[in-house]
């Protein structure tokens, strides 16, 4: 009953705005206060639809072979050593990984960059693709990517006095030759060119 009076008052307001003889009013506002719902036939509710069979040869299980999640394109993954970049970018996942990489850079005089980063760091996300491009430009230089939030790396970070990210340490001839703190693209590219360019 209350609903009918509300609808009636809405109709009166609309009649005043649009005009009661208006064709628009007659099409917008039905004369019946509540439309009658269309009933759903009970036969369609309770009659099950049989599942469609797989075409021959396309069964999920065919003989002894099974479909594995890794066979599906959206479950495929890349190697952890180069998640989406050049093969000379290596992820450091532990203190042992870091120590052996640092040993290569110092003892074997392998040119290397130690890139300290974090997933939550905006400047790191900005400079990441640039580091990827530079790694392709200088394939003889290995970039070691260290996520500062990895467990077990805190003692290394404090030893190296890593207080902000991104921080990059550049090694040449077994020694730390330069350091770039922040997303300074010009300084990064100039440092790489100065240290690693081969004529």
């Amino acid at each position: 009953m209350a609903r009918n009076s509300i609808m009636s008052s809405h109709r009166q307001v609309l009649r005043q705005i649009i005009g009661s003889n208006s064709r628009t009013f007659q099409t917008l506002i039905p004369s019946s206060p509540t439309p009658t719902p269309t009933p759903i036939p009970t036969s369609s509710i309770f009659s099950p639809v049989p599942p469609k069979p797989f075409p021959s040869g396309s069964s999920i299980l065919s003989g002894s072979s099974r479909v594995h999640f890794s066979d599906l394109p959206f479950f495929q993954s890349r190697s952890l050593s180069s998640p989406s970049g050049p093969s000379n970018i290596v992820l450091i996942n532990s203190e042992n990984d870091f120590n052996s990489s640092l040993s290569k850079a110092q003892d074997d005089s392998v040119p290397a960059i130690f890139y300290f980063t974090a997933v939550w760091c905006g400047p790191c996300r900005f400079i990441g693709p640039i580091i990827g491009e530079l790694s392709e430009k200088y394939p003889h230089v290995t970039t070691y990517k260290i996520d500062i939030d990895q467990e077990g790396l805190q003692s290394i970070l404090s030893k190296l006095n890593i207080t902000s990210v991104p921080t990059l340490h550049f090694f040449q001839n077994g020694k730390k030759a330069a350091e770039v703190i922040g997303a300074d693209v010009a300084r990064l590219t100039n440092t790489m060119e100065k240290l690693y360019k081969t004529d």
Side-chain angles (χ1 to χ4, degrees):
M1 191 66 143
R3 181 176 176 170
N4 286 342
S5 66
I6 293 171
M7 290 294 287
S8 175
S9 66
H10 286 298
R11 265 195 208 93
Q12 288 173 356
V13 171
L14 285 171
R15 270 192 192 116
Q16 289 174 353
I17 295 171
I18 300 173
S20 61
N21 293 334
S22 169
R23 186 178 178 131
T24 306
F25 176 76
Q26 293 170 356
T27 57
L28 287 177
I29 307 297
S31 58
S32 167
T34 54
T36 309
T38 307
I40 299 173
T42 56
S43 62
S44 66
I45 295 174
F46 298 107
S47 60
V49 177
K52 294 181 181 178
F54 285 108
S56 63
S58 67
S59 171
I60 291 177
L61 300 176
S62 59
S64 63
S65 65
R66 296 176 184 254
V67 174
H68 298 281
F69 285 118
S70 60
D71 294 339
L72 302 173
F74 50 86
F75 283 108
Q76 292 176 354
S77 63
R78 295 174 174 230
S79 166
L80 287 178
S81 64
S82 61
S84 62
S87 61
N88 59 339
I89 295 181
V90 178
L91 291 178
I92 301 295
N93 294 314
S94 68
E95 189 173 352
N96 289 339
D97 288 350
F98 180 81
N99 290 333
S100 68
S101 301
L102 187 60
S103 171
K104 280 182 191 175
Q106 290 176 333
D107 300 339
D108 299 343
S109 295
V110 175
I113 301 169
F114 289 86
Y115 168 40
F116 297 91
T117 184
V119 175
W120 48 263
C121 169
C124 299
R125 287 193 300 267
F126 168 75
I127 206 165
I130 295 162
I131 291 172
E133 288 174 16
L134 290 169
S135 293
E136 289 177 2
K137 186 175 179 180
Y138 302 102
H140 63 286
V141 180
T142 303
T143 301
Y144 297 101
K145 186 175 179 180
I146 303 110
D147 186 337
I148 63 164
D149 293 324
Q150 285 276 342
E151 286 185 39
L153 296 177
Q154 304 315 321
S155 64
I156 291 167
L157 298 174
S158 63
K159 240 187 267 182
L160 296 173
N161 198 24
I162 304 296
T163 57
S164 61
V165 287
T167 296
L168 294 104
H169 290 179
F170 299 86
F171 281 80
Q172 180 74 345
N173 300 322
K175 296 178 188 160
K176 182 177 158 187
E179 177 180 69
V180 172
I181 298 173
D184 188 342
V185 176
R187 189 163 172 226
L188 170 64
T189 53
N190 290 339
T191 303
M192 296 239 355
E193 188 170 319
K194 185 178 101 180
L195 293 174
Y196 306 125
K197 187 174 184 180
T198 56
D199 294 320

